[in-house]
Amino acid sequence: GYRPLTMTYSELDSMLTRSCETEDEDKKDKILGPFDECINYIQFANDECDYGMGFEMGMCVFSHKTSRNFLGTISSLLPLSYDLLGRNLFSRIMKRICE
């Protein structure tokens, strides 16, 4: 099955951009609250063999203009998604990119 992200691409774009524009850590945490919640849902989806949600979120963050600020998130989402989908070579490539 497929589980859609809990936010639109536009909302995700705005969230990532705004979080990088503020220096205040409390504001960043508040801005990224829905993002962190979606990461939790991705973990549930992976546990239930719905791997697309993590892949979709990982690709969205990886291709975002602020991706360098989210390498930790990318490195936890995309390599795992590629591994779960049986794309081990892509997993290794993504790990190298995030180093």
Short mmCIF file of all heavy atoms in Angstrom, two decimals, residues 17 21 25 37-38 60-61 65 67 82:
data_model
loop_
_atom_site.label_atom_id
_atom_site.label_comp_id
_atom_site.label_asym_id
_atom_site.label_seq_id
_atom_site.Cartn_x
_atom_site.Cartn_y
_atom_site.Cartn_z
N THR A 17 12.39 25.63 4.68
CA THR A 17 12.96 26.96 4.43
C THR A 17 12.92 27.82 5.68
O THR A 17 13.92 28.42 6.07
CB THR A 17 12.21 27.66 3.28
OG1 THR A 17 12.33 26.84 2.10
CG2 THR A 17 12.80 29.03 2.99
N GLU A 21 15.93 29.63 8.21
CA GLU A 21 16.03 31.09 8.26
C GLU A 21 16.06 31.63 9.68
O GLU A 21 16.35 32.80 9.87
CB GLU A 21 14.86 31.72 7.49
CG GLU A 21 14.95 31.50 6.00
CD GLU A 21 13.72 31.97 5.24
OE1 GLU A 21 12.68 32.25 5.88
OE2 GLU A 21 13.79 32.03 4.01
N GLU A 25 16.52 28.22 18.38
CA GLU A 25 16.30 26.76 18.40
C GLU A 25 14.87 26.40 18.80
O GLU A 25 14.31 25.43 18.29
CB GLU A 25 17.29 26.08 19.33
CG GLU A 25 18.71 26.06 18.79
CD GLU A 25 18.86 25.36 17.45
OE1 GLU A 25 18.26 24.29 17.24
OE2 GLU A 25 19.57 25.90 16.58
N GLU A 37 6.81 14.74 13.41
CA GLU A 37 5.67 13.84 13.53
C GLU A 37 5.56 12.92 12.30
O GLU A 37 5.31 11.72 12.43
CB GLU A 37 4.39 14.66 13.69
CG GLU A 37 3.14 13.82 13.87
CD GLU A 37 1.89 14.67 14.04
OE1 GLU A 37 1.85 15.81 13.53
OE2 GLU A 37 0.95 14.19 14.68
N CYS A 38 5.80 13.48 11.14
CA CYS A 38 5.77 12.69 9.91
C CYS A 38 6.87 11.63 9.91
O CYS A 38 6.65 10.50 9.46
CB CYS A 38 5.90 13.61 8.69
SG CYS A 38 5.63 12.77 7.12
N CYS A 60 12.18 14.17 -1.13
CA CYS A 60 11.75 15.58 -1.04
C CYS A 60 12.78 16.41 -0.29
O CYS A 60 13.13 17.52 -0.72
CB CYS A 60 10.40 15.67 -0.33
SG CYS A 60 9.01 15.12 -1.31
N VAL A 61 13.27 15.90 0.82
CA VAL A 61 14.25 16.64 1.62
C VAL A 61 15.58 16.70 0.88
O VAL A 61 16.24 17.74 0.85
CB VAL A 61 14.41 16.02 3.02
CG1 VAL A 61 15.48 16.73 3.82
CG2 VAL A 61 13.08 16.05 3.78
N LYS A 65 16.27 22.85 -1.53
CA LYS A 65 17.40 23.79 -1.57
C LYS A 65 18.17 23.87 -0.26
O LYS A 65 19.32 24.30 -0.23
CB LYS A 65 16.92 25.17 -1.98
CG LYS A 65 15.91 25.79 -1.02
CD LYS A 65 15.33 27.07 -1.56
CE LYS A 65 14.21 27.55 -0.66
NZ LYS A 65 13.48 28.64 -1.25
N SER A 67 18.87 21.18 1.66
CA SER A 67 19.18 19.79 2.00
C SER A 67 20.46 19.64 2.82
O SER A 67 20.55 18.75 3.67
CB SER A 67 19.25 18.92 0.75
OG SER A 67 20.32 19.34 -0.08
N TYR A 82 16.02 2.65 0.52
CA TYR A 82 16.61 1.89 -0.58
C TYR A 82 16.88 0.45 -0.18
O TYR A 82 16.61 -0.48 -0.95
CB TYR A 82 17.91 2.54 -1.06
CG TYR A 82 17.71 3.72 -1.99
CD1 TYR A 82 18.29 4.95 -1.71
CD2 TYR A 82 16.97 3.60 -3.15
CE1 TYR A 82 18.13 6.03 -2.57
CE2 TYR A 82 16.80 4.67 -4.01
CZ TYR A 82 17.39 5.87 -3.72
OH TYR A 82 17.22 6.94 -4.58
#
